[in-house]
Amino acid sequence: MFAVSNKRLHIKLEASASAEMNINANYLKNILHKGQVIYGINTSYGGSADRRSSDIPEMQKNLNRFLNVGMGRTFPPEHVRAAMVTRANCLCRGFSGI
């Protein structure tokens, strides 16, 4: 874990990853434009998933607020960097629509 938290580590996004993210983001935009419901994008999560919004940016802000409350203790910066690199690695696969 600490190898990825090194401050001098440089990470490069491959062109194929960027292309996949664009394809999936465009797919999500198209189905949202058609009014379809997508869990966690225009709905809330879990027991609140029946909540819907047409204001996607505001829904996403509220979901971030919801998920960032009550995290407990503060993590050292190297743990945070490691978590961010790990999450970025998952997101750049293009399946999330970012």
Side-chain angles (χ1 to χ4, degrees):
M1 172 170 86
F2 294 106
V4 297
S5 67
N6 183 321
K7 291 179 186 177
R8 296 181 189 158
L9 182 70
H10 295 279
I11 298 168
K12 180 183 174 191
L13 183 65
E14 293 292 327
S16 60
S18 182
E20 275 299 313
M21 287 189 288
N22 284 328
I23 289 167
N24 285 287
N26 287 331
Y27 171 77
L28 285 178
K29 285 178 191 174
N30 287 334
I31 60 176
L32 286 169
H33 182 71
K34 293 176 184 176
Q36 291 182 301
V37 174
I38 304 171
Y39 179 78
I41 295 178
N42 57 359
T43 75
S44 192
Y45 295 124
S48 299
D50 59 339
R51 296 178 188 242
R52 308 279 192 266
S53 177
S54 59
D55 187 351
I56 305 300
E58 188 62 27
M59 175 62 92
Q60 291 299 303
K61 284 181 196 175
N62 289 332
L63 290 172
N64 281 330
R65 287 183 194 117
F66 169 73
L67 293 172
N68 288 316
V69 174
M71 292 297 293
R73 67 185 173 93
T74 303
F75 292 106
E78 61 271 10
H79 290 197
V80 175
R81 282 191 293 274
M84 290 172 68
V85 168
T86 302
R87 185 69 180 136
N89 185 51
C90 293
L91 292 172
C92 77
R93 296 178 190 274
F95 300 126
S96 68
I98 63 163

